[in-house]
Amino acid sequence: MQTLHDITSKDAPPRVLILGGTGEGAQLAARLAERTDFTVISSLAGRVGEPKLPQGLVRVGGFGGLDALASYLVKEEIKAVIDATHPFAAKISHNAAIACSRTGLPLIALRRPPWGKIDGDLWHEVDDFQSAASFVEAKKARVFLSIGRQEVGAFSECSDAWFLIRAIEMPGEGLPPYHEVILQRGPFELEDELHLLRKYSIDYLVSKNSGGSATYTKIEAARSLKIPVVMINRPLKPAVPCVGTVEEAIERLECLMPAASGASNYSEEC
Ligand code: NAP
């Protein structure tokens, strides 16, 4: 005898989990939510109090570590995972890679390319937040710290530099002694970024190499005003199959799950 669970499991469209928190994650959720051949669930870390919620089903908050993520995937009958997390969110990506490998689920990583240095850019590249802090402290500079709020604590001992700190929400404890905080959410217009850098007589911009267009105007503004950028390189993410755009992520998903999507393009290259 069939139970209700059997019927819903068998007949419901396969569930795709998007690990989100990025514009691309939200765009992908919007594209998949329009369709009837997948059920999309977006997962957000819950780093901001009022996140922009993606379309489709949404869950918010950490899973409780690797084992809990693996259990969630099984319990919620997830059939594929798309890691569309921020380039600096390395832990969740590593957890997703291991959890998918353990549970035998396909994993697609949607990774936007990093920004590249171009003519006119004055970049000092570093590999971590602490190195960025040591660098600007030694310069005794007026610094635009545009790294979000989570890692601001790395600059807490910098008493020879002054900081304009921009974040979506107020950073917690561990702020450097001399600072001003502005609370803003991107994307930002180039004119506004130029105005900000001039208004605060900024000497250095500190930025994560996030890539994408939403926050690139600060890099353009710095280039235009010949302001050096302390560019923090990305942490390592796990080596898993990757795509660079939302469109490619959808194609890859259809390729991996042709029965669900009705696509006939299954090939050995999936
Ligand atoms: P992380 O270091 O990769 O993750 C830390 C923990 O947060 C994970 O182990 C997981 O908790 C939870 N988590 C992260 N992303 C999640 C998601 N999409 N769904 C559910 N849980 C998630 O990432 P992070 O601490 O959030 O951020 C690290 C860096 O990335 C920071 O520089 C931050 O500014 C930047 N960033 C992150 C996001 C984001 O949405 N996470 C967005 C923009 C920028 P459990 O172990 O409990 O599962």
Side-chain angles (χ1 to χ4, degrees):
M1 195 181 83
Q2 270 188 325
T3 65
L4 182 61
H5 185 260
D6 289 333
I7 294 167
T8 48
S9 306
K10 205 169 62 170
D11 299 342
R15 293 177 153 201
V16 176
L17 178 69
I18 299 175
L19 297 169
T22 55
E24 293 87 344
Q27 287 161 26
L28 182 60
R31 291 284 303 277
L32 293 179
E34 288 168 355
R35 301 174 54 146
T36 52
D37 49 353
F38 295 107
T39 300
V40 61
I41 305 174
S42 292
S43 174
L44 304 180
R47 296 282 173 246
V48 289
E50 290 179 20
K52 286 187 196 161
L53 291 182
Q55 288 179 42
L57 302 172
V58 181
R59 66 162 301 286
V60 181
F63 294 93
L66 168 60
D67 292 343
L69 172 58
S71 302
Y72 173 91
L73 297 176
V74 174
K75 184 164 165 271
E76 295 300 324
E77 301 185 4
I78 302 296
K79 299 296 181 223
V81 179
I82 302 180
D83 174 5
T85 54
H86 189 270
F88 278 71
K91 182 156 184 239
I92 188 70
S93 294
H94 283 284
N95 283 355
I98 299 170
C100 285
S101 159
R102 264 195 209 166
T103 51
L105 289 182
L107 170 65
I108 303 165
L110 171 51
R111 297 198 185 140
R112 63 171 96 122
W115 295 319
K117 191 173 157 188
I118 65 168
D119 269 0
D121 279 330
L122 304 170
W123 286 11
H124 175 77
E125 294 182 54
V126 295
D127 286 332
D128 52 52
F129 295 90
Q130 202 54 57
S131 304
S134 305
F135 182 84
V136 292
E137 174 71 344
K139 299 285 180 193
K140 303 184 192 304
R142 289 179 64 81
V143 179
F144 179 23
L145 190 56
S146 177
I147 59 167
R149 73 186 163 109
Q150 272 179 250
E151 288 91 0
V152 169
F155 296 79
S156 61
E157 308 278 295
C158 296
S159 52
D160 282 338
W162 180 89
F163 294 90
L164 175 65
I165 300 171
R166 180 166 71 190
I168 296 175
E169 288 182 356
M170 196 64 194
E173 292 178 6
L175 297 180
Y178 306 108
H179 70 265
E180 180 175 333
V181 176
I182 49 172
L183 301 181
Q184 292 177 341
R185 191 197 289 255
F188 302 102
E189 297 292 328
L190 177 59
E191 277 311 312
D192 295 334
E193 299 294 61
L194 286 165
H195 175 72
L196 200 67
L197 294 175
R198 287 195 191 106
K199 178 180 171 193
Y200 286 94
S201 305
I202 294 299
D203 305 314
Y204 284 86
L205 162 66
V206 178
S207 172
K208 301 190 273 208
N209 193 336
S210 297
S213 57
T215 59
Y216 188 62
T217 47
K218 67 187 172 189
I219 308 300
E220 293 177 300
R223 180 190 310 132
S224 164
L225 299 177
K226 299 184 172 43
I227 292 173
V229 178
V230 182
M231 186 63 81
I232 303 167
N233 291 325
R234 297 174 170 196
L236 281 180
K237 289 254 193 177
V240 298
C242 269
V243 294
T245 64
V246 167
E247 204 54 53
E248 286 167 352
I250 293 171
E251 281 169 19
R252 183 92 192 159
L253 187 66
E254 289 173 341
C255 189
L256 286 165
M257 306 177 78
S261 65
S264 56
N265 59 346
Y266 178 79
S267 81
E268 289 305 312
E269 289 166 17
C270 273

